[in-house]
């Protein structure tokens, strides 16, 4: 989201915490699961993200090797939890000069996002290994496919986005050409 501060500021100005909706000239709108699926490129059908945990040491070893190309040492894990420092070392020590090393970097980064932001636990230094099987097949991992095409919006001022939202009509939906494609999912009307 770095670089899209004007767009985000415009949306934050219209957010109402008490109703959890955006207040726009066309009415109140909110983001649904379908919208989030479209924006993030994540499937809402299929294998659940909250897979069962396996505390078996062999499970941890096999998945660490498959995802990061190395086995965690005895100080790098506790039961089914992996030390975040070890994950950062896996992510940051190898240069991203091959497709394989780039894939390992992305897996480590997504693993940290899942364990720290999306599904945080009480521990601030250990990540649950139950997410590792979801990262093994790199080509099945969802990703934004069109982010590079919309960098021209980074330099637009907040007033540009305010004007675009204010000029919206009821029948316009989100067909505004001033918004990046990843934000153009039609919101559900309340």
């Amino acid at each position: 989201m770095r670089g899209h501060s004007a767009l985000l500021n415009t949306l934050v100005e219209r957010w109402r915490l008490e109703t959890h909706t955006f207040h726009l000239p066309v009415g109140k709108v909110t983001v649904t699961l379908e919208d989030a699926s479209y924006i993030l490129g994540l499937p809402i059908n299929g294998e659940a993200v909250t897979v069962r945990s396996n505390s078996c040491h062999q499970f941890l070893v096999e998945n660490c090797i498959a995802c990061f190309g190395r086995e965690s040492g005895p100080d790098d894990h506790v039961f089914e939890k992996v030390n975040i420092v070890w994950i950062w070392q896996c992510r940051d020590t190898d240069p991203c000069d091959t497709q394989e090393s780039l894939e390992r970097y992305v897996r480590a980064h997504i693993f940290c996002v899942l364990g720290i932001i999306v599904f945080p636990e009480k521990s601030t230094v250990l990540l649950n290994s139950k997410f590792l099987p979801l990262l093994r097949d790199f080509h099945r991992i969802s990703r934004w496919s069109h982010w590079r095409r919309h960098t021209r919006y980074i330099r637009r001022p907040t007033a540009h986005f305010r004007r675009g939202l204010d000029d919206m009509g009821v029948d316009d939906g989100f067909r505004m050409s001033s918004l990046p494609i990843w934000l153009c999912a039609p919101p559900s009307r309340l």
Side-chain angles (χ1 to χ4, degrees), residues 4 11 44 132 174:
H4 294 283
L11 290 171
I44 51 178
L132 290 175
F174 263 118

Side-chain angles (χ1 to χ4, degrees), residues 134-146:
L134 299 171
L135 303 174
R136 287 181 72 147
D137 184 359
F138 187 79
H139 299 289
R140 286 191 59 209
I141 299 172
S142 295
R143 57 187 158 222
W144 293 348
S145 60
H146 42 271

Side-chain angles (χ1 to χ4, degrees), residues 81 115 120-127:
K81 313 273 182 165
E121 294 184 2
K122 290 181 182 178
S123 173
T124 57
V125 295
L126 298 172
L127 303 177

Side-chain angles (χ1 to χ4, degrees), residues 135-170:
L135 303 174
R136 287 181 72 147
D137 184 359
F138 187 79
H139 299 289
R140 286 191 59 209
I141 299 172
S142 295
R143 57 187 158 222
W144 293 348
S145 60
H146 42 271
W147 65 273
R148 284 192 179 126
R149 289 182 273 172
H150 301 285
T151 56
R152 66 181 181 267
Y153 299 106
I154 291 174
R155 303 218 192 301
R156 303 275 174 129
T158 303
H160 171 80
F161 295 107
R162 281 187 192 131
R163 196 171 37 258
L165 289 175
D166 290 341
D167 292 345
M168 241 173 71
V170 175

